[in-house]
């Protein structure tokens, strides 16, 4: 977890110098409950308060429900996501978990329409060197499996500031702390 925290701090410190480059983004990926959203929210708040930078928070599941529910404003909302100085996508392709005989399987939530809209936003930001902050329970390989062009763009944008958190969920998921100590 220290690596995740250190990467978040380093990203914030480097932000001004990397902002207009291709590799100007951060991705914290993996274990639910490990503090990914917390750290990216802290970065967002520091960018807003200390650097006066506009950050848009987009919670993946709720955000896509909102986009679907108001098609009249779809283009306007997508354009805002493309143009805002920094876009924070939380829980990208949030998976659904099912238990099988073979073990626990994770299936990403990624309809063709969601992938198409996400690609549109990420590709625009990629081509225009606009930073994104991404949290996801999926790792880079799983993102690439959903859509190779999208996943590789995310990777290229976040390669210098990418942490994949894997391991024992009883140790990594802070929400289970009471269970561990009980």
């Amino acid at each position: 977890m220290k690596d995740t925290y250190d990467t978040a701090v380093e990203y914030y410190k480097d932000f001004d110098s990397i902002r207009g480059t291709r590799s100007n983004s951060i991705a914290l990926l993996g274990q639910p409950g490990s503090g990914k959203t917390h750290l990216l929210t802290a970065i967002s708040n520091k960018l807003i308060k200390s650097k006066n930078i506009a950050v848009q928070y987009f919670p993946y599941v709720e955000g896509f429900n909102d986009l679907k529910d108001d098609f009249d404003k779809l283009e306007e909302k997508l354009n805002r996501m493309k143009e805002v100085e920094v876009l924070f996508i939380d829980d990208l392709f949030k998976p659904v978990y099912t238990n099988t005989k073979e073990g626990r399987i994770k299936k990403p939530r990624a309809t063709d329409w969601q992938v198409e809209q996400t690609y549109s936003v990420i590709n625009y930001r990629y081509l225009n060197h606009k930073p994104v902050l991404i949290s996801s329970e999926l790792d880079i390989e799983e993102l690439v499996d959903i859509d190779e062009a999208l996943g590789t763009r995310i990777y290229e944008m976040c390669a210098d500031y990418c942490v994949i958190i894997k391991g024992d969920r009883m140790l990594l998921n802070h929400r289970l702390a009471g269970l561990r100590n009980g």
Side-chain angles (χ1 to χ4, degrees):
M1 290 315 308
K2 183 173 177 355
D3 189 34
T4 307
Y5 173 82
D6 291 345
T7 299
V9 169
E10 181 183 348
Y11 177 79
Y12 175 76
K13 286 180 180 175
D14 294 347
F15 185 80
D16 288 332
S17 64
I18 64 169
R19 185 176 181 181
T21 68
R22 173 66 33 100
S23 186
N24 60 7
S25 301
I26 183 171
L28 303 181
L29 311 172
Q31 178 61 49
S34 59
K36 300 180 304 290
T37 298
H38 179 81
L39 287 170
L40 295 177
T41 299
I43 291 170
S44 296
N45 288 336
K46 286 289 283 179
L47 291 172
I48 293 166
K49 290 178 182 174
S50 300
K51 298 183 184 292
N52 200 30
I53 291 173
V55 178
Q56 181 182 351
Y57 176 71
F58 184 80
Y60 180 78
V61 174
E62 298 88 347
F64 268 101
N65 286 338
D66 179 58
L67 290 176
K68 257 188 341 194
D69 290 344
D70 196 356
F71 269 129
D72 292 341
K73 294 191 177 175
L74 178 63
E75 278 308 310
E76 177 185 329
K77 290 177 180 182
L78 288 173
N79 284 336
R80 171 142 168 74
M81 292 172 68
K82 290 174 182 177
E83 293 293 345
V84 68
E85 289 179 85
V86 175
L87 177 63
F88 172 9
I89 302 175
D90 194 19
D91 273 330
L92 178 62
F93 300 127
K94 174 123 181 91
V96 177
Y97 292 88
T98 54
N99 292 317
T100 67
K101 288 184 222 173
E102 293 78 33
R104 195 165 175 238
I105 296 176
K106 119 174 110 168
K107 182 177 185 271
R109 262 180 249 210
T111 66
D112 289 346
W113 185 78
Q114 289 170 329
V115 171
E116 183 181 318
Q117 302 313 312
T118 303
Y119 176 83
S120 168
V121 169
I122 293 295
N123 188 54
Y124 181 90
R125 298 188 71 80
Y126 172 85
L127 293 172
N128 291 282
H129 302 266
K130 291 181 160 288
V132 291
L133 316 178
I134 295 176
S135 77
S136 180
E137 293 175 28
L138 306 176
D139 62 25
I140 293 295
E141 189 172 316
E142 291 166 319
L143 292 173
V144 169
D145 285 344
I146 291 169
D147 186 278
E148 190 165 343
L150 173 61
T152 55
R153 279 168 175 74
I154 290 171
Y155 178 70
E156 188 175 353
M157 294 170 76
C158 300
D160 295 337
Y161 304 93
C162 183
V163 178
I164 298 172
I165 305 158
K166 285 189 177 182
D168 183 348
R169 71 177 168 193
M170 295 305 290
L171 297 174
L172 294 174
N173 188 328
H174 72 86
R175 294 183 202 109
L176 297 174
L179 185 61
R180 286 192 298 266
N181 299 330

